[in-house]
Amino acid sequence: MRHLLTGFEFNQDEYLDILNTASEMKKNPLNFNEVLKGRSGAIMFEKPSLRTRTTFELAFYRLGGHGVYLDLQNGELGKRETIGDYARNLCRWVDCLVGRVYSQNTLEQLAQYGSVPVINALSDLYHPAQAMADYLTIKEHLGKLKGVNLAYLGDGNNVTNSLLVAGAILGINVSCFCPKGYGPDVQVFSKASENAAKNGCKLEVRDDIENIKNMDVLYTDTWVSMGDNTPLDMVKKRYMPYQINQNLVDKSGASLVMHCLPAHRNYEITDEVMDGPKSVVFDEAENRLHIHMALLAKLI
Ligand code: CP
Ligand code: NVA
């Protein structure tokens, strides 16, 4: 049995297999509509979602299975009964647990006490399915992955960590431009760097945004992640130099601009760029569906 908890679980061939399966499912969805016939999953969300929730539910449906949505936004997992008991109940009924949680530890516990695959749909540390959909989007637009130069700009967060993990395994050079003290998780970066060394690519964290050049892709995410109640305007000064605007796009040389969404327009990205010709943000959103189908098919 395999889980997707961090993104470190799969090797390069397995990543490519998931991406290729997703492409195939995107082209010929009807060929796969009985893959999960009679199978089901629990889709548990401690935090809000548009894209992830919709696409996991639809992925089950399109594969002939059923996803049961469990809204936990009024009560974190582990409050009404232990996470272990919660997992042991659910595993008597469903074939997979999909969880969006505050703490990575909650997913680890679900995997420990449950007996079915657990998929991370975003935690404090990772958003692995997002990174897979993003690399599928890059492959579609640039026709390759190995050697692509991707710059992540802004707050080093769960999305940044997952772009590093998956990027290192797929051979992408990932440069994180983040204010000092706001970079990606140090342990995740270090473990991902070991993979990068094996796969002939380079990861880096830097704050000299004024020197950005020779990039293929620019990527950003919110400056304040879910669970952090700091008003956006309070962090504006810190992150504004890292905003993706037309000047920065021109300077970087990038041909694609990405954002996992939801976006705060004219904070981390300007309207002009988000609605401009290089933006592929809605392709990323669409690809969440195809990647989730491929993941469910592979893991269940
Ligand atoms: N990108 C993403 O995960 O979006 P949602 O929070 O709407 O699911
Ligand atoms: N970093 C963001 C991603 C949202 C999809 C958050 O955790 O809120």
Side-chain angles (χ1 to χ4, degrees):
M1 186 178 60
R2 311 283 299 272
H3 301 291
L4 175 61
L5 300 177
T6 65
F8 283 115
E9 294 88 350
F10 300 112
N11 62 30
Q12 189 178 81
D13 285 345
E14 289 169 324
Y15 263 87
L16 292 173
D17 179 47
I18 293 167
L19 265 53
N20 290 338
T21 303
S23 294
E24 198 48 48
M25 289 174 159
K26 185 172 182 174
K27 268 187 246 139
N28 300 303
L30 295 182
N31 289 353
F32 300 89
N33 60 10
E34 296 206 343
V35 168
L36 290 188
K37 197 172 172 190
R39 316 299 289 276
S40 55
I43 306 172
M44 307 165 282
F45 277 62
E46 290 181 338
K47 299 176 179 177
S49 169
L50 170 65
R51 283 147 288 270
T52 311
R53 177 198 170 159
T54 310
T55 52
F56 266 113
E57 283 205 33
L58 287 175
F60 272 105
Y61 171 76
R62 286 205 180 192
L63 294 169
H66 183 69
V68 180
Y69 178 70
L70 299 173
D71 179 354
L72 299 167
Q73 280 155 56
N74 297 317
E76 257 170 68
L77 270 174
K79 290 271 151 67
R80 191 159 171 258
E81 58 195 309
T82 66
I83 297 172
D85 287 347
Y86 190 89
R88 285 184 283 234
N89 274 271
L90 284 175
C91 292
R92 296 295 177 109
W93 309 313
V94 300
D95 304 291
C96 177
L97 303 178
V98 177
R100 168 167 288 194
V101 296
Y102 281 98
S103 165
Q104 180 69 18
N105 181 258
T106 303
L107 293 173
E108 309 283 346
Q109 286 191 60
L110 289 171
Q112 182 186 341
Y113 295 106
S115 52
V116 298
V118 177
I119 297 180
N120 183 346
L122 183 145
S123 69
D124 53 340
L125 263 188
Y126 301 104
H127 198 1
Q130 175 74 52
M132 287 180 178
D134 294 334
Y135 286 124
L136 174 61
T137 308
I138 292 175
K139 191 162 178 259
E140 287 173 347
H141 283 273
L142 300 183
K144 61 170 186 173
L145 286 171
K146 273 204 172 122
V148 164
N149 295 320
L150 179 145
Y152 176 91
L153 279 67
D155 180 38
N157 60 22
N158 42 11
V159 170
T160 330
N161 293 338
S162 285
L163 288 171
L164 285 164
V165 174
I169 294 169
L170 286 165
I172 318 269
N173 301 308
V174 184
S175 302
C176 302
F177 288 87
C178 306
K180 265 206 173 63
Y182 297 91
D185 183 86
V186 175
Q187 281 173 359
V188 173
F189 181 83
S190 144
K191 192 167 170 199
S193 297
E194 289 168 21
N195 279 312
K198 276 187 236 144
N199 292 319
C201 61
K202 206 178 127 202
L203 310 180
E204 58 177 3
V205 182
R206 49 199 282 196
D207 64 352
D208 59 332
I209 187 68
E210 62 284 0
N211 293 326
I212 191 165
K213 60 176 185 194
N214 298 333
M215 291 298 159
D216 300 304
V217 182
L218 296 187
Y219 195 117
T220 192
D221 182 16
T222 178
W223 294 338
V224 180
S225 283
M226 287 182 277
D228 179 349
N229 294 325
T230 312
L232 203 49
D233 281 315
M234 270 184 66
V235 299
K236 194 172 168 179
K237 197 163 156 250
R238 181 192 303 151
Y239 293 111
M240 207 34 116
Y242 301 83
Q243 181 192 59
I244 301 192
N245 52 44
Q246 198 56 52
N247 272 346
L248 200 127
V249 174
D250 294 344
K251 200 168 171 206
S252 70
S255 52
L256 294 184
V257 175
M258 306 181 76
H259 191 312
C260 59
L261 307 178
H264 302 95
R265 285 169 171 266
N266 302 311
Y267 284 82
E268 66 264 10
I269 187 166
T270 59
D271 278 337
E272 186 186 13
V273 174
M274 184 154 152
D275 299 327
K278 295 184 173 179
S279 169
V280 292
V281 300
F282 300 111
D283 294 350
E284 297 175 73
E286 180 189 338
N287 282 336
R288 300 295 303 283
L289 172 62
H290 310 299
I291 281 292
H292 294 170
M293 287 173 67
L295 273 174
L296 292 175
K298 185 172 173 73
L299 295 182
I300 298 177

